[in-house]
Amino acid sequence: TNMAKLKLAISRLGYHLHSHPLGQAEDKCDIARKRLQWRLAVAVVFGMWSMMPAFLVYLAPLGIVEPEITWPLALASGLFALPVLTYSSSHFYKVGWRTLIVGVPGLDTLITFAVTAACILSVWSLIEDRHHVYFDACVMLITFQLIARLLDHDVRRHAADVVRSYLNEVLQAQLAQGLLRTD
């Protein structure tokens, strides 16, 4: 394929093809990692707060929590989940919808549909004055996916460093043998 077709295919998915010198590429990679870390930090902190009222709702059938406070606890779980559902998972939604529109849905599309469906069911349940909500499941899904993305990012970065080091050694060996000229 040619570069124009590649650029077109990538732009249809909502991405941009860039060519950066090595130092700039590493800086961009570090910025992306920091953004991912912030999204994960928000997901963990607010996810923890969202899980606590949800846990109390789960204990209600055992008589540990009074039945009349289960609805406010379910609402609190949803309110604490809002930063995770808006900020931490926004990238999943963007990529999920883009890939669906161009006809190549992936994991981000599945996450988008799962979170959207669970949130709609949860809000409907709250409107119907019921306490069965799934905000905690959404938060867990998003948090685990962010952890997976962070691990994937680190593995890719390490692999790129290994390949770069190997190519540098090959280049140095060829220069030492006189197979390449520096001019």
Side-chain angles (χ1 to χ4, degrees):
T1 188
N2 63 29
M3 191 57 89
K5 287 182 181 177
L6 185 60
K7 283 183 179 180
L8 179 64
I10 289 172
S11 68
R12 285 181 54 211
L13 293 173
Y15 294 101
H16 302 285
L17 187 59
H18 296 286
S19 177
H20 298 290
L22 182 60
Q24 266 189 338
E26 288 176 352
D27 290 344
K28 296 260 184 199
C29 195
D30 289 340
I31 291 169
R33 187 176 198 286
K34 284 188 189 329
R35 283 189 193 135
L36 193 55
Q37 287 173 326
W38 273 108
R39 290 180 191 278
L40 179 59
V42 169
V44 168
V45 169
F46 284 95
M48 174 185 61
W49 284 101
S50 177
M51 296 295 274
M52 290 191 319
F55 183 68
L56 291 174
V57 170
Y58 295 146
L59 294 176
L62 300 174
I64 296 172
V65 176
E66 297 298 322
E68 56 271 358
I69 66 164
T70 55
W71 188 90
L73 286 171
L75 178 64
S77 177
L79 292 176
F80 283 124
L82 277 176
V84 181
L85 297 172
T86 55
Y87 172 70
S88 295
S89 60
S90 62
H91 179 74
F92 296 123
Y93 305 146
K94 289 176 196 170
V95 174
W97 288 114
R98 284 179 190 156
T99 56
L100 181 66
I101 288 169
V102 296
V104 286
L107 182 61
D108 292 318
T109 307
L110 183 62
I111 292 168
T112 299
F113 280 148
V115 170
T116 302
C119 287
I120 289 171
L121 285 172
S122 297
V123 169
W124 183 262
S125 181
L126 288 172
I127 290 170
E128 293 286 317
D129 204 28
R130 290 180 283 132
H131 63 272
H132 302 289
V133 293
Y134 308 101
F135 298 116
D136 55 323
C138 295
V139 166
M140 292 290 286
L141 176 64
I142 292 164
T143 303
F144 285 139
Q145 282 302 313
L146 288 170
I147 291 169
R149 295 275 164 99
L150 190 60
L151 291 173
D152 179 63
H153 184 274
D154 289 346
V155 167
R156 287 176 190 239
R157 176 76 181 263
H158 179 70
D161 290 344
V162 168
V163 168
R164 195 175 302 113
S165 173
Y166 173 74
L167 291 176
N168 200 12
E169 286 177 19
V170 169
L171 179 65
Q172 293 300 324
Q174 288 178 345
L175 282 172
Q177 292 175 355
L179 298 174
L180 293 176
R181 295 189 333 216
T182 58
D183 50 293

